[in-house]
Amino acid sequence: DVKVTQSSRYLVKRTGEKVFLECVQDMDHENMFWYRQDPGLGLRLIYFSYDVKMKEKGDIPEGYSVSREKKERFSLILESASTNQTSMYLCASSSGHPNEQFFGPGTRLTVL
Amino acid sequence: GEDVEQSLFLSVREGDSSVINCTYTDSSSTYLYWYKQEPGAGLQLLTYIFSNMDMKQDQRLTVLLNKKDKHLSLRIADTQTGDSAIYFCAEGSGGYNKLIFGAGTRLAVHP
């Protein structure tokens, strides 16, 4: 069964802290994605990666960076967390046809 | 740029049909998707339709696509309490399997 796992379900951090969110997929997918989900706004793409060490900005990359050193792992980094980054973060992976993305359970991040 | 719009809430009685509507702007969309998100969980693909199709049926789910009006709908027959969730419409036309999601429709099923 396909699986995307995220390192934490809930996370509480303080303003200014560096935050790492980890995502691992076991499907050998080339493409991986990080979204944030906010009520009334749906899912907004932060960054995606189409290969190891390759990354592209999504619609809202400001304040975030990513790392993909291995095919199965895609990390989202908040260099200096701010309260407006309090949100649900969802990771997904996909491979080829027909664009189906498989999602992890999400990490609910609260920045105080 | 591309945009996908949905109404935010829908309330139906158990046993009735639910219809969730979505409009999109990118006429080059290859596939259109419906995802379901249950409380506290990630998104799960419900069904998808290829852009050259008008309709797709899968058990209690019927997807209708009107390409001229760029309108997509999801009908759930005999709606059950277990269908209570947020339903996301998404269109896929970008490279690297990117998807554009709507804001999500929260379906509430009441007895």
Side-chain angles (χ1 to χ4, degrees):
Chain A
D1 208 12
V2 297
K3 205 159 185 183
V4 179
T5 56
Q6 295 184 229
S7 50
S8 305
R9 293 299 305 271
Y10 300 93
L11 211 51
V12 179
K13 295 291 181 181
R14 297 212 172 270
T15 302
E17 279 193 81
K18 191 168 185 176
V19 182
F20 292 87
L21 303 182
E22 303 282 335
C23 174
V24 177
Q25 51 98 359
D26 65 359
M27 296 163 282
D28 201 36
H29 284 168
E30 287 81 19
N31 306 310
M32 296 187 74
F33 307 82
W34 274 107
Y35 297 90
R36 65 176 282 175
Q37 180 182 7
D38 300 289
L41 297 178
L43 274 69
R44 293 180 291 167
L45 182 64
I46 304 171
Y47 267 96
F48 68 99
S49 168
Y50 53 90
D51 201 351
V52 174
K53 296 191 189 294
M54 306 304 288
K55 61 187 179 186
E56 290 283 341
K57 292 180 181 179
D59 301 317
I60 51 164
E62 296 78 20
Y64 303 95
S65 62
V66 290
S67 171
R68 192 160 179 208
E69 297 297 318
K70 293 185 178 181
K71 191 176 186 180
E72 67 271 18
R73 188 180 297 270
F74 191 35
S75 302
L76 179 70
I77 303 152
L78 287 67
E79 295 289 342
S80 177
S82 63
T83 54
N84 63 11
Q85 293 178 308
T86 291
S87 187
M88 170 72 89
Y89 290 87
L90 292 165
C91 175
S93 72
S94 76
S95 179
H97 190 79
N99 285 41
E100 179 178 358
Q101 293 187 11
F102 296 87
F103 282 82
T107 296
R108 186 166 293 282
L109 173 67
T110 302
V111 182
L112 302 175
Chain B
E2 302 92 347
D3 195 18
V4 177
E5 293 193 356
Q6 310 175 231
S7 54
L8 294 183
F9 299 102
L10 178 66
S11 179
V12 299
R13 191 182 303 274
E14 192 174 10
D16 287 352
S17 292
S18 308
V19 179
I20 303 171
N21 295 300
C22 168
T23 58
Y24 60 98
T25 57
D26 189 349
S27 57
S28 67
S29 295
T30 309
Y31 289 94
L32 293 135
Y33 303 81
W34 285 104
Y35 280 83
K36 177 182 180 183
Q37 184 182 35
E38 295 182 351
L43 277 68
Q44 184 177 18
L45 181 68
L46 265 185
T47 187
Y48 63 91
I49 188 167
F50 189 46
S51 59
N52 69 352
M53 297 169 64
D54 297 324
M55 185 180 94
K56 181 179 180 182
Q57 187 144 9
D58 184 0
Q59 299 182 336
R60 291 192 298 122
L61 305 178
T62 303
V63 179
L64 294 177
L65 175 60
N66 181 328
K67 289 183 286 294
K68 176 175 169 290
D69 295 336
K70 299 193 184 73
H71 182 268
L72 182 73
S73 68
L74 173 70
R75 179 177 180 269
I76 306 172
D78 186 26
T79 312
Q80 303 297 309
T81 53
D83 295 322
S84 295
I86 302 176
Y87 291 81
F88 290 91
C89 170
E91 62 99 2
S93 57
Y96 306 116
N97 304 120
K98 285 173 62 180
L99 297 177
I100 308 296
F101 287 87
T105 299
R106 184 179 294 275
L107 175 65
V109 182
H110 55 88

